[in-house]
């Protein structure tokens, strides 16, 4: 039946989704991704031609390239409705019957009609359903009808702009926690399976309907952003293409220092590697600007490797492991669907620093060679994926705009949505420090729920060390905001050497580094709504 439907829909905007059963990766285009408001981006049912998004970046949900006039789809005043399987007129069916017919024969006429009827129904449980239709619709009529339906369901006036409304209404849903109700699981899984047949099994493991409604298609299928596996390494002398000011993600594990250039991870977003004898995975979410280093070993001693799932939640990448196919929240390192649900991976500190600064502190570091093009051995006719690795080239339109591409929680304006913050999650207590405000600061104490932390800013980020349980300095010296004097050369990756605290000295202390990270404000708040804020917000 699936093959017959796909053949019949070759001229439909949904036809490309049927071809996803081939399991292919995304298009091999290396330029900045062409935005798409439809999950089906090709009018061909041929597997090799069906996927027309770029494989290098998650894509925003708009069909209009920057600066171009919006395309005008061919429309009629009376849209054609394909016949239902039993011959009954589609417009005479109940809403639930229409949904069933739509999932059997997805097309833009059915999609627009269903979205409109959901809006007229008035039940807010239909919001995530309409969001899914809006994301997969493939026509201006579906988009406009969906925006009108969401306006009625939420009471929020539509802007008339697809990107704006997609984020606005999706964020409303995420923040209000409306249960999509019975039948949503089958609807979502079936619809997404037309994009990539593997999405069906992935989503089957998501048992919470609110979470399922929050999951969005990111613009690529599984593996569409090719990860780096045991990437080739260079010595600093060999890496003569590196510039002093470019940012790297630095780490020291098992006594081995390494630095991944951001320009490479911004394109590949994942690296499975072994550092210092430890199997690790560095996940880099370009949408929320967060790099985290995970230990790939499970409690039972087995190891897993990661791949891009093609799915997002709260504008944050969802990772999938190849061994159990569990889904992982990148920001927390916790599996939320599949056999490993509830498992949280250990993390190692990662420093976002200038290459020259990292090299000065770690002259024996390794870095990465320029990744080779990605070839598809199973599809020799496909051109390889070749990326522009110029520093700052990846996601330039996204980073230069204040707007988000995907929904997230409604976020207080303590910081701008995409303002960078240094983050700490310490025993369930969260802290976000404005990176811009840290730039002019020397090392200082922040007391987080009774634990004195020493914040050491650097160009590009900050490192965080714990001063818990040190008897050499009076407890009252570790007061909130106190200045800290550091031994020259004492800012090390794993420890900090302190010579004075709050004017008291000389002392000789060694403080242990704790795991911290950086992200855009919206992403951190979405996972940690009770986070503490620095600098503190002034009371009105």
């Amino acid at each position: 039946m699936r093959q017959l439907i796909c053949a019949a829909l070759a001229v439909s905007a949904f036809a490309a989704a049927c071809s996803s059963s081939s399991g292919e990766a995304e298009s091999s285009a290396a330029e900045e991704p062409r935005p798409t408001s439809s999950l089906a981006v090709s009018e061909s049912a041929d597997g090799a031609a069906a996927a027309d998004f770029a494989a290098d970046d998650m894509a925003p949900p708009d069909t209009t390239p920057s600066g171009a006039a919006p395309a005008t789809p061919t429309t009629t005043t009376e849209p054609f409705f394909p016949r239902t399987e039993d011959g009954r007129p589609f417009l005479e069916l109940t809403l639930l019957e229409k949904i069933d017919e739509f999932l059997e024969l997805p097309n833009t006429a059915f999609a627009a009609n269903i979205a409109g009827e959901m809006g007229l129904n008035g039940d807010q449980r239909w919001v995530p359903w309409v969001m899914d239709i809006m994301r997969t619709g493939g026509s201006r009529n579906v988009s406009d009808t969906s925006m009108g339906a969401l306006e009625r369901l939420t009471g929020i006036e539509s802007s008339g702009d697809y990107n704006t409304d997609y984020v606005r209404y999706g964020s409303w849903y995420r923040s209000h926690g409306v249960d999509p109700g019975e039948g949503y699981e089958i609807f979502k899984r079936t619809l997404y399976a037309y994009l990539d047949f593997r999405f069906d099994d992935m989503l089957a493991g998501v048992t919470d309907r609110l979470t399922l409604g929050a999951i969005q298609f990111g613009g690529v299928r599984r593996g569409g952003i090719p990860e780096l596996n045991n990437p080739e390494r260079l010595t600093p002398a060999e890496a003569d293409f590196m510039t002093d000011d470019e940012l790297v993600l630095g780490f020291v594990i098992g006594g081995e220092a390494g630095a991944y250039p951001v320009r490479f991870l911004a394109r590949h977003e994942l690296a499975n590697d072994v550092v210092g004898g430890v199997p690790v995975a560095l996940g880099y979410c370009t949408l929320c600007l967060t790099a985290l280093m995970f230990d790939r070993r499970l409690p039972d001693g087995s190891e897993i490797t990661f791949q891009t799932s093609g799915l997002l939640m709260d504008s944050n990448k969802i990772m999938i492991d190849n061994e159990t196919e569990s889904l992982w929240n990148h920001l927390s390192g916790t599996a939320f669907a599949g056999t490993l649900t509830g498992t949280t991976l250990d993390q190692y500190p990662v420093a976002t620093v200038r290459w020259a600064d990292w090299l000065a502190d770690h002259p024996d570091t390794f870095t990465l060679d320029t990744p080779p093009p990605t070839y598809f051995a199973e599809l020799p006719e496909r051109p390889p994926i070749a990326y522009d690795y110029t520093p700052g080239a990846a996601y330039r339109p996204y980073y230069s705009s204040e707007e988000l591409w995907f929904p997230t929680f409604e976020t207080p304006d303590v910081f701008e949505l995409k303002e960078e913050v240094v983050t700490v999650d310490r025993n369930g207590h969260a802290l976000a420090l404005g990176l811009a405000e840290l730039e002019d600061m020397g090392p200082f104490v922040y007391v987080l729920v009774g634990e004195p932390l020493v914040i050491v800013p650097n160009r590009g980020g900050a490192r965080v060390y714990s001063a818990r349980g040190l008897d050499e300095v009076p407890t009252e010296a570790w007061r909130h905001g106190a200045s800290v004097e550091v031994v020259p050369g004492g800012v090390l990756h794993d420890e900090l050497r302190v010579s004075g605290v709050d004017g008291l000295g000389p002392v000789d202390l060694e403080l242990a580094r704790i795991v911290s990270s950086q992200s855009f404000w919206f992403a951190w708040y979405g996972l940690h709504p009770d986070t503490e804020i620095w600098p503190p917000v002034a009371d009105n």
Side-chain angles (χ1 to χ4, degrees):
M1 173 62 72
R2 175 63 64 88
Q3 291 178 340
L4 292 175
I5 291 175
C6 287
L9 293 177
V11 296
S12 165
F14 282 89
C18 299
S19 69
S20 66
S21 60
S22 66
E24 295 162 9
E26 297 306 314
S27 159
S28 60
E31 65 275 5
E32 199 67 32
R34 187 172 66 190
T36 174
S37 63
S38 169
L39 304 186
V41 294
S42 171
E43 296 300 321
S44 168
D46 175 75
D52 195 26
F53 351 91
D56 52 343
D57 293 338
M58 293 291 188
D62 183 18
T63 54
T64 306
S66 177
T72 303
T74 302
T75 59
T76 62
T77 55
E78 298 182 1
F80 166 74
F81 285 92
R83 294 179 64 85
T84 60
E85 288 196 336
D86 61 6
R88 288 188 297 164
F90 179 80
L91 296 179
E92 295 181 7
L93 304 180
T94 67
L95 177 55
L96 294 180
E97 290 173 332
K98 288 179 178 179
I99 292 171
D100 289 340
E101 290 293 337
F102 170 64
L103 294 179
E104 282 292 320
L105 191 70
N107 62 83
T108 56
F110 286 2
N113 182 271
I114 291 170
E117 188 166 339
M118 287 175 173
L120 292 173
N121 177 276
D123 189 338
Q124 290 184 331
R125 85 178 185 97
W126 296 117
V127 169
W129 301 63
V130 178
M131 287 292 300
D132 292 332
I133 291 173
M134 181 178 178
R135 181 73 172 117
T136 62
S139 79
R140 182 66 55 80
N141 186 36
V142 174
S143 298
D144 290 346
T145 304
S146 298
M147 289 188 286
L150 291 166
E151 179 179 85
R152 288 188 290 270
L153 291 171
T154 65
I156 301 174
E157 184 178 359
S158 170
S159 69
D161 175 74
Y162 181 96
N163 277 18
T164 300
D165 281 4
Y166 175 67
V167 173
R168 173 183 296 172
Y169 293 127
S171 298
W172 180 94
Y173 163 74
R174 191 65 170 127
S175 299
H176 285 75
V178 178
D179 188 343
E182 295 293 332
Y184 180 69
E185 299 94 333
I186 297 300
F187 172 80
K188 182 103 175 192
R189 287 172 53 190
T190 304
L191 189 60
Y192 269 48
Y194 282 106
L195 314 174
D196 185 331
F197 76 99
R198 295 165 293 186
F199 286 162
D200 189 357
D201 288 339
M202 288 188 205
L203 296 178
V206 183
T207 57
D208 179 70
R209 283 199 295 254
L210 295 180
T211 300
L212 187 63
I215 292 174
Q216 300 291 318
F217 177 64
V220 299
R221 298 176 182 135
R222 176 174 173 171
I225 299 177
E227 72 279 3
L228 298 174
N229 293 304
N230 299 311
E232 292 294 324
R233 300 178 177 182
L234 297 177
T235 65
E238 293 170 328
D240 55 3
F241 56 87
M242 297 284 287
T243 66
D244 288 347
D245 290 333
E246 71 172 280
L247 293 178
V248 297
L249 306 171
F251 45 86
V252 178
I253 301 173
E256 184 175 21
Y260 292 166
V262 167
R263 59 160 108 177
F264 298 160
L265 269 296
R267 293 300 191 186
H268 294 273
E269 299 194 358
L270 270 170
N272 296 298
D273 206 346
V274 177
V275 180
V278 179
V280 293
L282 190 142
Y284 185 72
C285 178
T286 46
L287 291 172
C288 58
L289 208 65
T290 305
L292 298 170
M293 181 68 82
F294 303 106
D295 191 324
R296 294 192 283 111
R297 295 173 295 189
L298 298 177
D300 65 3
S302 61
E303 299 175 10
I304 56 178
T305 56
F306 286 103
Q307 193 175 41
T308 292
S309 70
L311 302 173
L312 304 171
M313 185 164 60
D314 303 328
S315 198
N316 172 242
K317 81 181 287 99
I318 295 173
M319 306 184 299
I320 184 169
D321 71 75
N322 296 305
E323 288 69 25
T324 75
E325 301 201 331
S326 298
L327 298 180
W328 298 76
N329 183 308
H330 165 258
L331 280 179
S332 66
T334 300
F336 67 91
T339 58
L340 294 178
T341 296
T343 302
T344 299
L345 299 174
D346 291 335
Q347 292 187 37
Y348 296 95
V350 178
T352 303
V353 299
R354 295 170 65 250
W355 169 238
D357 294 337
W358 179 260
L359 187 58
D361 291 337
H362 304 278
D364 58 346
T365 186
F366 72 83
T367 188
L368 299 187
D369 196 0
T370 301
T374 300
Y375 293 89
F376 299 89
E378 71 281 9
L379 293 170
E381 71 278 6
R382 286 194 62 184
I385 297 176
Y387 296 99
D388 178 1
Y389 290 119
T390 306
Y395 281 76
R396 184 177 286 117
Y398 178 68
Y399 296 139
S400 63
S401 166
E402 296 180 358
E403 304 300 321
L404 301 182
W405 282 355
F406 294 92
T408 184
F409 283 97
E410 294 174 350
T411 307
D413 59 359
V414 176
F415 300 106
E416 298 296 328
L417 283 174
K418 289 195 282 191
E419 185 170 343
E420 289 186 68
V421 291
V422 173
T423 61
V424 177
D425 184 350
R426 191 70 168 161
N427 301 318
H429 301 288
L431 169 65
L433 304 106
L435 181 59
E437 288 80 4
L438 287 175
E439 289 183 353
D440 297 326
M441 296 287 294
F444 68 97
V445 175
Y446 188 100
V447 180
L448 180 63
V449 195
E451 180 180 14
L453 304 177
V454 176
I455 315 298
V456 183
N458 59 262
R459 286 184 286 182
R463 298 172 184 176
V464 183
Y465 304 82
S466 175
R468 184 192 294 276
L470 297 176
D471 298 329
E472 294 88 341
V473 174
T475 301
E476 58 270 18
W478 298 108
R479 64 178 180 82
H480 202 65
S483 61
V484 176
E485 298 175 21
V486 176
V487 174
V491 182
L492 305 177
H493 185 79
D494 294 326
E495 65 182 25
L496 179 73
R497 295 187 58 196
V498 173
S499 58
V501 182
D502 198 23
L504 299 177
V507 297
D508 186 8
L509 303 176
E510 292 184 359
L511 278 56
R513 174 113 182 254
I514 67 171
V515 173
S516 61
S517 187
Q518 292 175 216
S519 73
F520 284 145
W521 164 236
F522 78 83
W524 181 252
Y525 177 81
L527 196 63
H528 302 278
D530 297 325
T531 186
E532 293 189 21
I533 303 296
W534 182 92
V537 180
D539 296 329
N540 293 327

